[in-house]
Every structure is written in structure tokens, then in C-alpha cells.
Amino acid sequence: MKQVKAFVEGEEIIGFYLLKSVGIKQTNGAAPKDYLDLILADPSGEISAKFWDATHTDKETFFAPMLVKVKGLVHSYRDKLQFKISQIRPASPDDGHHITDYIRSAPVAPNDLVYAITTAAASIQDEDLRWIVNECIQKVGDKLHHYPAAKGMHHNFYAGLAYHVVRMLELAEFIVVQRPFLNRDLLIAGIILHDIAKTEELTAELGIVSEYSFTGKLIGHISLAVNWITEAALRRGMDLTSEKIVMLQHLILSHHNLGEWGSPVQPQLPEALALHLIDQLDAKMQAAEDALDTMADPGGWTPPLRALENKPLYRRKEL
Amino acid sequence: MKQVKAFVEGEEIIGFYLLKSVGIKQTNGAAPKDYLDLILADPSGEISAKFWDATHTDKETFFAPMLVKVKGLVHSYRDKLQFKISQIRPASPDDGHHITDYIRSAPVAPNDLVYAITTAAASIQDEDLRWIVNECIQKVGDKLHHYPAAKGMHHNFYAGLAYHVVRMLELAEFIVVQRPFLNRDLLIAGIILHDIAKTEELTAELGIVSEYSFTGKLIGHISLAVNWITEAALRRGMDLTSEKIVMLQHLILSHHNLGEWGSPVQPQLPEALALHLIDQLDAKMQAAEDALDTMADPGGWTPPLRALENKPLYRRKEL
Amino acid sequence: MKQVKAFVEGEEIIGFYLLKSVGIKQTNGAAPKDYLDLILADPSGEISAKFWDATHTDKETFFAPMLVKVKGLVHSYRDKLQFKISQIRPASPDDGHHITDYIRSAPVAPNDLVYAITTAAASIQDEDLRWIVNECIQKVGDKLHHYPAAKGMHHNFYAGLAYHVVRMLELAEFIVVQRPFLNRDLLIAGIILHDIAKTEELTAELGIVSEYSFTGKLIGHISLAVNWITEAALRRGMDLTSEKIVMLQHLILSHHNLGEWGSPVQPQLPEALALHLIDQLDAKMQAAEDALDTMADPGGWTPPLRALENKPLYRRKEL
Amino acid sequence: MKQVKAFVEGEEIIGFYLLKSVGIKQTNGAAPKDYLDLILADPSGEISAKFWDATHTDKETFFAPMLVKVKGLVHSYRDKLQFKISQIRPASPDDGHHITDYIRSAPVAPNDLVYAITTAAASIQDEDLRWIVNECIQKVGDKLHHYPAAKGMHHNFYAGLAYHVVRMLELAEFIVVQRPFLNRDLLIAGIILHDIAKTEELTAELGIVSEYSFTGKLIGHISLAVNWITEAALRRGMDLTSEKIVMLQHLILSHHNLGEWGSPVQPQLPEALALHLIDQLDAKMQAAEDALDTMADPGGWTPPLRALENKPLYRRKEL
Amino acid sequence: MKQVKAFVEGEEIIGFYLLKSVGIKQTNGAAPKDYLDLILADPSGEISAKFWDATHTDKETFFAPMLVKVKGLVHSYRDKLQFKISQIRPASPDDGHHITDYIRSAPVAPNDLVYAITTAAASIQDEDLRWIVNECIQKVGDKLHHYPAAKGMHHNFYAGLAYHVVRMLELAEFIVVQRPFLNRDLLIAGIILHDIAKTEELTAELGIVSEYSFTGKLIGHISLAVNWITEAALRRGMDLTSEKIVMLQHLILSHHNLGEWGSPVQPQLPEALALHLIDQLDAKMQAAEDALDTMADPGGWTPPLRALENKPLYRRKEL
Amino acid sequence: MKQVKAFVEGEEIIGFYLLKSVGIKQTNGAAPKDYLDLILADPSGEISAKFWDATHTDKETFFAPMLVKVKGLVHSYRDKLQFKISQIRPASPDDGHHITDYIRSAPVAPNDLVYAITTAAASIQDEDLRWIVNECIQKVGDKLHHYPAAKGMHHNFYAGLAYHVVRMLELAEFIVVQRPFLNRDLLIAGIILHDIAKTEELTAELGIVSEYSFTGKLIGHISLAVNWITEAALRRGMDLTSEKIVMLQHLILSHHNLGEWGSPVQPQLPEALALHLIDQLDAKMQAAEDALDTMADPGGWTPPLRALENKPLYRRKEL
């Protein structure tokens, strides 16, 4: 199958691709017609596609995410490649293709990521913290295997959340050796839980966020995670004002650092500061890596990146 | 007893006053001596006082807040009145004076304020919300009778918290009639709970805040109140993701309106918006009233007020 | 007549509606044609409409606001309903329809609103303030019956200005009882005059603002109202530096609270502070009520609202 | 008489100096004593001075600004020179010294400055604008000869206001030649009137501002000047909505450029933009010149300057 | 030839115009076609133009900037004039038209501007500064004759950079007389060099910037100019820490005044302050003049201008 | 010798300490006397000290930094310990004490730090980058062994600069393994050079910054380092516009990330982003570690920390 990234103007394509988003639009003019405005994708990238002759049935058949077989022509529109579909149908089991092969995923297998997280959780020495972290991991259940970490800013792919946590854990293990005054238990617990309630804040399938949930909009993942900790602590019979619980909740509450970024309190424990800085480093480096990988050729530029204060990045040819 | 506000330069004073703060300072020079730097107060106002000949025993005797008997002279220092103490001793029970007569209080009796709050709580139609509100009121216990609402910004006096809530409830009753689309239950519940965790955030005695608590610094009254609601909801066997709980927690979380003012989410329910606006109106008008009352004479100006973005207020002579 | 809000996809409609805005646009392509891009409205809501076969005469016939009779089909375009017009003509007197029945208006009759305002003006005890307020009311003349309070932020409907003032007066009457240290005369006068020069700042017809006037852009309604007070005071023979005039002008000048919101001075009288806070409360609650009413179904969300710092609102199903 | 700038540590001084500010302070300790904390000045600079043995009569004798004869010793205190006064008395007419010789003044005679301003006013071609400008000049009367332009930011000396205006007029004459599309009448009128109401906003004597006036605080010099223009226009029988008046008021209202700097509207005429930019250039260059002149030696630095966003300036040795 | 500014709706035009930008776009619909989306210009203004029937050859023939001969019809589209091209071809030498007659240029001949700049450079008394300035002028070479000063903010026309510098030099000559404490050499050198590296930061042809260069994006014209000064100083054998070099580099580094505007240090020499203020004045007045000239008719408004904090300007009818 | 951190109220102390700062102050009152206001320090902490009976000779003898022998009494002043000196003299060589044993230093020997840096420099594969880095290291010379990295924000101790660089190099080695798309050469070079010009920006002795240099104020360490790179590149005969030089200068210029933090351009290479994030992480964690170590006891709080946006940190008792 031809990779999306390798599409060339003028080429005819037949193949299976992920239908990542579907919109019904209408042509202009006295006799406007509905058409399907689609995004086709595979792990190498994505392309805008149009299906001009959409029937009423078509409009009720195609939803994202779904694996489809398409036939069509690559052409150029406003300096970008676009795909004009002549035929499209949903993939069937008989086709022998699995949608999971067509979505962007973390470069590490989800099972390995979850194993790394549960191993880190098991290594927490303090029994209370370990118990609470495990409760929260169990609450998330299978979502830890596949949820992305965000809608668009960073780690927006299959298992992006687990991958983000694992990379932060690696950094944390390095830093607690470099700076022994940090409490490892608290930092590890904070890293595992800091974004865990994104699984409640966001509605996602196959690593693709479709929207913020009702609860996500009104409460947000920071306060949701604090609620989960409260719930677990009460179930274990712990006092909510015990220093351990207060500190752990503080790490979650302060990990966005500033009020305007969503944190109601600012970091006042060194582990809270470390959590914030490790989170920043991993999220921004991943956003940079993904943008260079999918949006720029060597010697070229990405578009301005929202995750990097709207600055574009240059992709080195080679030094 | 002469009111503090009525002190005149040159006057000799003997009387009972509230010792509101105590500091040990030192004179300059080759033979520096310790002295007590005090604030004396009664409900009419406060005055800076010095006790120059403090003995070691004196330094261990006087703590704030405490009722003391003093003798001394009013004089003027850098355009302000100051009180030079020649004799000072703690009040004893035999003196027949009660410290509660000497502190600034809400202009309504605490019992009446708490009665108004519990009556409002009882009027909530929704049984779940009513139950949760009552749980939180009981958790606060006696502190609702005397806690101030803040350290210095507004309602910083005995029963200031309850007074703030009652005034907001009055405004809310007016506004839900003016705008019937608002849900009265939710708004009443939100008003009663919005600052209730200040009783855990602040350490206060006799309406005077001495400091922020450990929990107050690391979690803050907004997230603390959310924890209380979680705890109550779980005890009642409610689901944390039920719309009622999500909405009530949203009202608390968003009542400071902006991230930089401490709210991790912004108001997205009309009752949340109303709660924020009523809170602002009552807090700022009270800050204005108090400042004019205690810091300005007719035809004069208050100092710049932190609660009003550092603007001073003018006290009208009479229109 | 079918209400706009009740239109259903696929329905054919014949009826009278308000033509709220008219634009001449052009189809794309080698043979572009002009068409009319319209907004049809009634008090229940509004809908985008297209008249594809516009003749040269049509382009010179239709202007906003105007009552029209239309025939056409409701269809769906990009997830929103749209109206495709097959026939359109201006309403004629013989049709027996009055445009005023088709525009969004304050929920109280304009006469009643103006009566409430003039009654409040008459209740001002201070003769000078009363005289000045009445002068300004007379200067506005009939516009007070129908002007909106803004172009789009809040109270953007027929008699929206008067309605905003009346609601604020109600709040003020409540608050001057709650806080007797406020001067009622000054606050009432300030409320009546605070937005009165919007009648000069904005060009509006039937409650619909078409644009800012030349004077409105260069001077703004705040300084315009101050000019009116100056003019009235001079006509009455008053000194511009009299405390009354200075205070009244201060209320107007400071009612947006901050420089970046257009106030050259910040509130330094308690009545100025009260005016600002009452204005905020009424404007934001009205913006919320209107948005929920016209832009969201129960259980749904409004779009992000400019009047509420770009936050959307959720419309409760029922608690 | 020895210039203040030339005082040297250890020197005994007898002479006449300007008493620029007087404060009554108190020594610390068990037997605190009142003393006079003074600033002595002449046009070359100023020095902090103490009169330790102030009697009750002294405290009622000395007020700023006043010419005094002092005897005392220059010594060094915290790296700065200070003057310890042993004798002090008010200058009497018999001493033959004039206070005006001891204050900092514009480097051009006030009469010449006022002549330059009235000449510029007379050169305005448009009769209405000329009439209004002249009315305002006459309203100010003698204050135009001596008022400073600000309390501390720039041109805070005798005739500083007139000097600022004259310098701006010079720049304007140059720029209207460079850019003939600018309307000279409007720009000249705007420059003469832009700060003219500082004479009402500030209370000043001998070029020294003691405070903001009541009217200055509540209205501000920008809106005051607009009131003056309104008053003059009405007296001349002009319509306040005539383009001329609107434009002139716009220039005044917008000359601080941004809302946060006090302008309720932003420049929307090229002359308004020019007025703002010329004002900035002259005010900042003067602040720089004064700071270098009085606060830094060659090769040294001024303290951080409030007028220059708290940056210090370096005084070149010589290039 | 008809001036672009004089085009009237309905008119047929044949003539030579500057092709200022070329884009290939596509019509909507089931059979989308490519068309050329062009901007035609002459010194009087510019107009959007469409060439609907573009062949493959056409798409490879037309690039900006280029002189073309066109035939077509002026019509109105969305309240603006648009040009529908029926025939288009590149101008050939035989046509006898020179592209330079069709581009917007500074109102002074480039040779005269460069002469003024080199004369000013030659008048610098200090030999080192003069040598460095001349080195930088020679490095720029011919670009000084034609480069614009910016992409869109101000002086975006042929020889705009040189014109900006010459106008600033005129202002500087006036101001060094008004304020003799300024060092003329430093200020003249700073003005000539402040934007000189725009010739490396921007890629421009015929006064039209097509993009920022790689070096321009990563280093920026401020640091580039500092590099040039370093290079010249080293070539002359000067120490980089000599006061002269430090001061000259400081002028360049600080001329945007604030960090958020791109200056890593803030002005701390009076000449640096003067450079910044003169730059502001000239850039903003030119942006205003150009906008009024090309975007507004008498009695009309420009669109909001990015160079003026998004405020529109009003073009006076006549006073 | 008793450690400063172990001083107890009431204790008499005789010993050698570092004189870290010296000020001459004056007692108040009619007969003011000069005294020495000192800070004594050793690696464990510092204490305010007063020498009340300073003679003229004393004032000319003591300068910071210097090793002194003192005798005196520890007492308490405003809740803090203070040291009242009865005798003080400079240490002499015969005392057998070395000042370097009394200053706060990096926890790794300077030679080892410099060795780590030069080893990292030698490991750069690209010959040009390696050559330039080595040139800059040699230019710094011995200062790399002892300079602090800042005046007060972070790493303000002996060899703080080298320690900061070495820690960042450790982090970088970890991250280039985690994220192989980063160019190691560029990142290592950027880390070594990013703060290297602090040695020219600051004047420091024994790890204590006394002030910013003239060049430091006018140019700043960011642009100074860029100048150094330019100088080295020219000496090697490289083109300043070669991609290597542009990229390396970009890393230095952008490492403060935002204009308001001093960076004239923002990171647009992934290595520039990594440099910024590693710098942040190391600087903030070090500031936290130092503050907890020297300013808080277990279970207590540091004061608000400027390096952490004025938030205090809590020092855990033990989890």
C-alpha cells in the first residue's frame, strides 16, 4: 500500500486508509450539492480528500474513525496535495486489514508501556501512595492502553498518554539520582496520576479525540484526578488532611504551574516543581518531534505550532 | 471607655483594648534595646502602640489576640497618631470585660447569620444538594459563627464569612426573581459552599486571621471545598459523575472566574456566572464600606485599597 | 406563521419575516453570478438564507431592516439549517403585518420602560442632578424607546438600552437598602446616564445596530455622555468644578472600571464602584440568558460567547 | 552662594536655599524626639537635610516651598551626602534674595515661552479652532507662566508645561513640512491644549507639584480639557457634533494612545497619531536630559527612571 | 494608461500592469478547475484579478513580480472592485515599458536617497564610527537603492529602507540642535545601521518582500547588524569591548525598546532612546500616510491597520 | 569552628568567617554615629552582623570579600538571629586559614567540572563547532573555574557556572539517547556556550557577584556570546551565513525562549528548544535545592523565591 506521505501529484491511488474525520459540505451556486469532506490517514501522515458525488446513503455510511477502501486521483490544490475520490467503501473483515495498522501510535507497544507504568507503581515504597496509584490505574482500566494525551497539543496518538507517562518516568529516574533531595515516591506517583483523568476529560477512540466530555469541560482533568485521589483515600480510610494526601493532591493541582494554564495553586514542593518541568520538557520535545516528522521535509519548515507558542520549526538537512 | 477612633493628640488614656498584634523590635544604636511594637484595637478602629521598656517577662506575656489594660499617652508620629504605653497588663476575669466586646464583628449577631444560612440550606428543594450542603455546614461546626472571610481583602472581621454568605443569599433571592431561568437550588448551594473551606484554608481566632494553614497553601479553599463535596457525595452513595455533583463542583471551581484568580475552570453555567458576579459585588462593596468607615473622614481619602486594584476611595462630605 | 426556531429540514415555508441583513455575494467559477446572502429573523431566532437568482432590480430593492414575504425550502448545510428562497418580495401595507411584531424586543413594553426611567429620574432628591438627568433624557428623545444597548455584546435588541437601565435601577434600589451608606441620588443618576450616549455612538434602527457613528468612533459614549452633562450643567448655570458635577461625571467616566476597557479614570467613589458592578452583573446575566435562549437547546451548548470571555454556556436539561 | 551640586563632605555651609519639602519625623528609642526632615534645593540639584533640635515653633514655621537661610555641616550617610542643620530661619525681604532664583526653571524665560504659545495660537488659520484655543489659554491665565507639566515624570519644574508645549510646537512645525498631508491647524491646537488642564489636575506652586486636586483625581486632565473645549464651543455657539470639535476633542482624548495609559479612545486621525508621537518624544527626551543632568556624573549611571520603564541611563564620559 | 486607483465598475481595460502576486486556486464543485488568482498593481494602488481559463502553460509562465499586458472587465464583488481577465501575456522588451515605472517607490529618487545617506555617513566626526558605518554601507551594496524597510508594516515599497533612513536623519539633525547633549555621531551612525540588516533578513525584489530568509528567521535583523559591526570592528583591529563599539551595538540592540518587540536590552543611552523614538515616529507616520493614500477616500476610513495596533484611520474631507 | 547555621541565641562566638558584604550605616538621632553593617558567612549559611563602634580606620580596612576573625554575641532581632561584634580584624596569612574554605562552592571540585566541560567539548564531532567551542572556553580562561552563573537567581556560588553547565550536559546526554532526532553536537555546543559570556556580563570574585559590568548592562550575556562566536568563526575563516554558525548563534539567542526574558528570537530548531528546557529544569531545580538547604528547616517554609515566580517552598519533614 502506498504511504500517504509518499503520494505524488497526478498519481492514481487504490488502497485502504483510515477515515479520520468526515464532514458533509455543500458546493456553492444555484444548484448546491452535498459532498463529503474527508481526512484520510495512515501512520505516515494525512491528506484532505473530497468525495463529490455523495449519495444520501453515503452520508449515513461513513463515520470517523473507520477503515475504508478508496480509489481516486492525487492533485494539487492551493499548494497542497488533495485526493479526489471516485470510489469509496468501508473495509470489511474479509479484506484482511486491521484498522490498528492504519492509525498513528506510540513507537512502543501499549502492553509494554502499561507494564512499565505498573512496574513503576509497584516500586513506590510508601504503601498508601502505592495503593492510591494502583486504585487510579485500575479505575482507568483498558483506556490506559490506547488513550492519547491530548486533542492536538502533544502525544495525540494511540497510547499517547501511556507513552508520555513512561518517558516522564524515565526522566524522573534520571533526575532523582542527579538530585537525591527529591522524594522518589511522590514524584513517581505524581507522574503516573498527573494526566490520568484525561481519560474522563476527553472522548477518544483509536487515539483520536473527538471532543471534551461534559465532565471534562465543567471540571477539567486536574480537578478530576484530585477527586479520584480523594475517593481512593477515603476508600482506604485515610484522612484527607494527612500530609501524604495533601502533597499528592498538590502535585496534581500545581502541575500546570500557573493559574492561566489551569493550575489553581502553584508548585510549593520541589517534587511539584520537578513534575511540572519534566512534563513541559517531554510534552514540548514530543510536539517538536511529531511536527518535524509529519509536517516538514529536510531543509523545510513546519507551520506555526500552537504547542510552541506559534513558532514554526526548521528541519535540519544534515549538519 | 474612650473609642480608639476618638483618640486625640496629647490625651492620656487608661482603658481596656484588644491587643491585635505583637512584635518584638529593637532600637537602633550602640546599646539597642528590645521594645514591644503593638496594635491596639476596638471595633471603631486601631492604633499603633509602643511599649519601650519591655522586660523579658513582658515579651513572654503578651500574645495576640488578647484583652489588655493600658495606660499611656497619645502623640503624633509622621502625621499619624501613635500610643506610647507606660503601663500594660493582661485583663483578668475580675475586670469584668469580655474580649468579644472589643473585636470588630459583623453588624448582625452570629446566631442570626447562621440561622439565615441554615434556613436557606433547608429551603433547597433538591434532596441531594440539600443533604450535601448540610453535611458541609456541619463539618464546619462552630467556625461558621466566627470565621472571617479573608485575611485582609474583605469581610476580615468576626463572623465575616457568615455575613458575606448571608448578604450574597439576599442578593441571590432578588436575582432569581428577576431572572427566573436561573436554578435557585444550585445557586443557593453554591453561595453557601463557595468560601466554606476558608475555615480550613485559614487559621483564625476572634475573626483575626493569623496565617494560611499548610493545607490552605498547598490545596486552597476552592479545591478543599470540592474535596468536601466529593466526600459528602460518596457518603450519600452518589456517583461523582452525576450531573448534580458535576454542576455543584463546577460552581465552586469557577467562582473566581479566571485562572489567574485561582479558578481552574471558567463559568459555563448561568448559575456559576451569577455566583461569581454576586460574590464580586458583595466583596467589593463591603471592602469599600469598611475602608470608608475606618480609614477616611468625611471629605477625605482612604489609602490605596488592595481589594480595589489599589485605588483609593473618597468619602463624600454630604451631597 | 411558523417561528424561525421551529423550522425543520425539508420543510417548505411561506411567510413574513424580518430581513435583518442583506449582502450581495457572487458564486465562484468561470461564470460567476451574483446572489443575495440574507439573514431572516423573527423574535424566536434567525436563519441564513440565499436567494440565488437575484436580478439587478432585486439587488436594489432589498435593504435591512425590512419586512419581506418569502417562499422557499429549509435544508441543511454544514450541520446548520439554511433557507433557499425561491420567491421574495417586500411586505406591503395591505399585507396587514407590522415589522415591529417581527423584531426581537425587550420583554417589557418600551413605554413601561421609559416610564420606569422617568419615574426614577423624578425621584432624585437633589434638584441639580434631577434637572441634568431630565435634560439628558429629553435630548435622547424617542431613541430611548427603541435603541439597543450594544451592537452585539448584550441587550442588542429593540429597547435593549431602556431595559438594561430599568433592570439596573431595580438592582440599585435593592442595594441602596442593603448598604445605606450609598448615595441613592448619585447612583440613580449614574445608572440612567451611563450608557445614554450610546444613542449618539451607534446608528441603529428597530433595535439593530448597523454601525458606529463618526462621533462614536472618535469620542465614544463615555466621553459623549460627559459632554452632555457639561452642556446641561452650563445651561443650568452650574460651575463645572462643583462637587456634584465632578462626582456625576466621575461615575460616567469610571463605569468601565479599567483603562483597557475604556475608562480614563478608575472608580474612586463607592457609588462609582456600585455602578460598575451592577452594570457588569446585569450585562453578563443578560448575555447569558439571551445566548441560552436563542443559541442552545436543553442539554446542549452555546458557541463561545464574546461577552463571557469566549466561554460557551451549557443549557441545563432540568436539575 | 555655594551650589548644592558642588557640596563636598566635611564642608561647613552658610547660605540661602529653597526649602522644597518638610516632614516632621521622630527619633526611635525610649525618649523619641521630633526632628525636621527637609529637602534643600537650588537649580543645580537637591540634598536631604535634618534639623534635629526642632522646637514646637519650628514645626509651625517651616512649610514648602519657602526660601530659608541655613547653617550646617555636609556629611555622608549611606553613600550619599546629607546636610546637618545647626541653624535655620526663613529668608526675609531684607535679605535681598528672591525665591525665584532658587527654583529649577525651564531654560527659557516664561514670558518668551508664553509668547511663543500665543503666537502659535494666533497662527491657526481656522477661526473656530483659533478662538477655542485662545479661550482655553485665557482660562489658564497666569498659570501658563509657571506650572510644571507633571509631578515627577517629566518637565517637573517652573514653567515646565509651557516649555514642553513650545518644544512640541517646534517639532510639529518641522514635521508638518516633512509631511504636508497633516493639518497644521489641528495639530497646533492639539499640542497647545493636550496638557493644558494639568493646571486644574495638579496643585502646584513655584513649579513644584504638591498633590493632585480633587477634580484631577476624579476627572483627570484629559477629560477636563475636553470639558473646557465643550464650554468654549458652546460659548461660541458651535455644535458639539461639528467635525471640527469632534476632531479636536479626539486629539485630546487619544493623546496617551492606549487605554491603560488613560486614553478612552485610540488615535484615528493622523494628527492624533502625530500628537501622541511628538508628546512621547519630547517627554522622554526631557526626562532623559534632566536625569543625566541632575542625577549622574560623567561615566556614571542614573538610578532606574520611572519615566523610562525603570531603566537607568549612562552618562557618556565623552565619545 | 488608466491608473488602477481610477478603475470604475463596468469599464473594459487594456493596459500594462505590475503582476504583484500569483496564486493558483481551484473552483469548487464536482469538476473543479484551476484558475489564476492575481494582484495587479501600479503606483496608485492595487486590485484583485482572476484569470479563470488558465492553461497549464499559463501556470508556468506567470510569476511575481513581472510586468504584464492584460485585457479584461472591472466588476464589483463583495463591495470591492475586481478585475476579470480575458487575455494576459508578459510584457516584452518591444512593448517599450519598464517595470520600474509600475512599482510603488519612495517619492525621492534612490540615487538621491543613497547620496543623502553616504553624505551623512561622511559627516560623522569619529573616524572609527565613520569607518564602520561605511563598511556596512558597502556590504549592502546595491540593495540600499531598492530594498523596502519591511514586509508590510511600513515603508514596504521600492527604496523604502533608504527613504526611512533619510527621513530619520532629517529628524535627527533637527533634534540634535534642539537637544545639544546628544552625541550626533552616535545617533547618525545608529540611524544608518539600525535596519540595515533587513537586506539580509528579507528576500525582496523590486521593493516587494517575498519572504524572510533562513538567516532572517533564526537570527533577525537586529543581531545580524550587530554581527556586521563586530565583523567591521575586527577588520579595523578594534577591541570589541571599547566603549565606542559597545555603545554602537547597544543602539542597534535596543532600538525596538522592549523585549517583546525584539530588543534583548532596553535603551540606556540617551542616543539609544532618541533612535527608538525617531524610528517610531517615522515608521508610524509613514504607515498612516500610506494607508490614507491608498486605502481611504476623503471622508472615509482605512481598514484596521496592523502597524497602528489595529486601529483604522479616518481621512479628513477638508477641515 | 562553629558553623553559621548552628549559631544559637545567647552564644558567644570567636572564629574566622567570610566577610561577604560591608556597608557603612548611621544610627539615628541628634548625635548619629557610623557603624558597619556586615554579612558574615561560611558554606553553611550567612548572618547579619553589626559592628557599632567603627573607627575611621575600620571603615577603610574592611571590604568584601575578605576573611576576618570576629568576637561577638549572637542575639535575636525581629525573629532573626543577628551577630553583635565586639572585635574584628582581617585574617592574616599566619592564621593558617584559607578564604576558599569559607565560601559556598559547587559540590564538585572546579577542576573536575572544567575537565567534564572540556571533555564534552572534545567529543563534538563537527570540527568547526568543536573549534569554536574551544576558542570560547580558552577566552574565558580561569574564570570558568570559579564564576557563579548568576547574581542571585540560581547557581550563585563559586564555580556555579561550570556546575550548571555540567549538570545540563548530563541531562543532554540522557535526552539525546531518548530522542535520537536531536543533533548532539549542536546541543552540546549550545549548552557549553549559552551562559559563557556571564563571565563578561558580571563582575564576580570568589563566586560572589558584585555588579553587572558596563558591557553586561549595554549588551547582555546573550549578545556577547554571539559576538564571541562571530569572532571565533571569522578567525577560522568561516562564513557568518553558513548554516552551522547561524544555527549555533540561534541556539544562544533563543535560549531564554521569550522576548520579555531577553531572547530576541524564539526557538525554531529542536535543539534550541531542548537547550531552553534543559536550562529551565536545571536552573529551577538548583534554585529550589539551594533555598531548601539554606533557608528552611524540615517542616518549615522558605521565603518567597524570586527564581520561582515568588512562591515559597515547603521543606518536607520526611514522607
Side-chain angles (χ1 to χ4, degrees), chain C residues 162-174:
Chain C
Y163 185 60
H164 178 41
V165 168
V166 169
R167 283 296 177 100
M168 286 178 65
L169 288 171
E170 291 169 11
L171 278 162
E173 297 290 10
F174 181 83

Side-chain angles (χ1 to χ4, degrees), chain A residues 24-32 34-35 213-214 217-218, chain C residues 27-28 33 35 52-53 75-79 82 84 301 314:
Chain A
I24 297 172
K25 295 201 174 161
Q26 210 179 26
T27 59
N28 272 342
D34 287 353
Y35 65 91
S213 68
F214 176 73
K217 286 178 195 165
L218 291 198
Chain C
T27 59
N28 271 343
K33 284 190 50 178
Y35 66 91
W52 294 108
D53 301 300
H75 62 111
S76 170
Y77 178 59
R78 299 194 187 185
D79 296 337
Q82 198 177 80
K84 187 179 166 186
W301 291 81
Y314 175 74

Side-chain angles (χ1 to χ4, degrees), chain B residues 175-176 178-179 181-182 187 269-278, chain C residues 154-155 167 171 278-292 307-308 313:
Chain B
I175 287 167
V176 294
Q178 224 192 15
R179 300 196 176 270
F181 79 107
L182 293 170
L187 183 55
L269 297 173
E271 294 80 10
L273 189 66
L275 172 58
H276 162 64
L277 291 165
I278 292 170
Chain C
H154 67 98
H155 295 88
R167 283 296 177 100
L171 278 162
I278 292 170
D279 185 25
Q280 280 282 302
L281 197 154
D282 191 65
K284 299 217 160 177
M285 288 315 297
Q286 188 68 33
E289 184 166 353
D290 289 347
L292 289 171
L308 301 178
L313 286 183

Side-chain angles (χ1 to χ4, degrees), chain F residues 104-230:
Chain F
R104 246 190 106 226
S105 306
V108 179
N111 278 343
D112 295 348
L113 293 171
V114 173
Y115 178 77
I117 293 170
T118 52
T119 304
S123 77
I124 296 173
Q125 301 290 308
D126 182 273
E127 291 187 17
D128 292 323
L129 291 180
R130 190 172 68 238
W131 196 89
I132 289 169
V133 168
N134 281 327
E135 280 287 295
C136 292
I137 289 175
Q138 278 170 36
K139 184 181 178 87
V140 178
D142 188 51
K143 286 184 179 175
L144 192 55
H145 284 75
H146 65 83
Y147 247 68
K151 188 163 182 186
M153 293 290 274
H154 65 98
H155 294 88
N156 50 337
F157 46 71
Y158 194 87
L161 175 59
Y163 185 60
H164 177 42
V165 168
V166 169
R167 283 296 179 100
M168 286 177 67
L169 288 170
E170 290 168 11
L171 278 161
E173 297 289 10
F174 181 82
I175 287 167
V176 295
V177 173
Q178 225 193 14
R179 300 196 176 271
F181 80 106
L182 293 170
N183 182 290
R184 183 183 174 281
D185 278 359
L186 204 49
L187 183 55
I188 297 299
I191 287 174
I192 296 176
L193 300 188
H194 83 292
D195 273 355
I196 203 160
K198 293 227 172 173
T199 52
E200 186 172 344
E201 186 188 42
L202 306 168
T203 305
E205 206 181 335
L206 292 170
I208 303 164
V209 173
S210 54
E211 58 173 7
Y212 280 74
S213 68
F214 175 72
T215 314
K217 287 178 193 165
L218 291 199
I219 308 287
H221 75 275
I222 285 185
S223 298
L224 284 172
V226 168
N227 278 354
W228 293 15
I229 293 168
T230 296

